[in-house]
Amino acid sequence: MSALVVVLLVVAGGLGAVARYVVDAAVRSRSAVAFPLGTVVVNLTGSFVLGLLTGLAMAQLLPDPVRLVAGTGFLGGYTTFSTATFETVRLVQERRVAAALLNGLGTLLATTAVAGLGLVIGLAA
């Protein structure tokens, strides 16, 4: 891995974290529900794009350095499993068990499904 790729990886990770903050804040400002919808939106969109990038890379349509920088760097900074887990635990502590199950299991199933969809689309490209 070249020094340039490492630098781009670091920059992309930072940009992904900023994008996560912006998307989460935008969703929260437009949502009246006491549910971590911003984090769900971030993880759904990030999972779909990562699946798409993976499919494109498997179809030999995306060079490895681009996959690394975009997938590992940007989307690694953008998506957030730890925040989703924390928010699920917080919902349990608030005795909002149905919301916690929706957030934990629902997000797991939905992100896996959209990642698979992105993969299929990328492979078909």
Side-chain angles (χ1 to χ4, degrees):
M1 180 175 358
S2 72
L4 177 60
V5 170
V6 171
V7 169
L8 291 173
L9 189 63
V10 170
V11 170
L15 292 173
V18 170
R20 175 181 69 221
Y21 175 79
V22 169
V23 170
D24 181 54
V27 171
R28 280 189 289 123
S29 73
R30 290 168 176 77
S31 175
V33 297
F35 184 80
L37 192 57
T39 302
V40 172
V41 168
V42 163
N43 285 331
L44 285 171
T45 56
S47 293
F48 173 77
V49 174
L50 186 57
L52 182 64
L53 291 175
T54 302
L56 291 171
M58 291 174 69
Q60 308 292 323
L61 298 173
L62 190 68
D64 280 341
V66 174
R67 179 194 48 81
L68 180 66
V69 170
T72 303
F74 184 82
L75 293 173
Y78 179 71
T79 58
T80 175
F81 180 74
S82 59
T83 300
T85 303
F86 171 79
E87 289 170 341
T88 300
V89 170
R90 184 180 49 77
L91 289 167
V92 169
Q93 290 173 333
E94 294 172 357
R95 293 181 166 61
R96 297 178 57 205
V97 177
L101 285 171
L102 177 64
N103 191 54
L105 293 176
T107 298
L108 174 65
L109 294 172
T111 54
T112 302
V114 297
L117 177 63
L119 180 67
V120 168
I121 292 170
L123 285 170

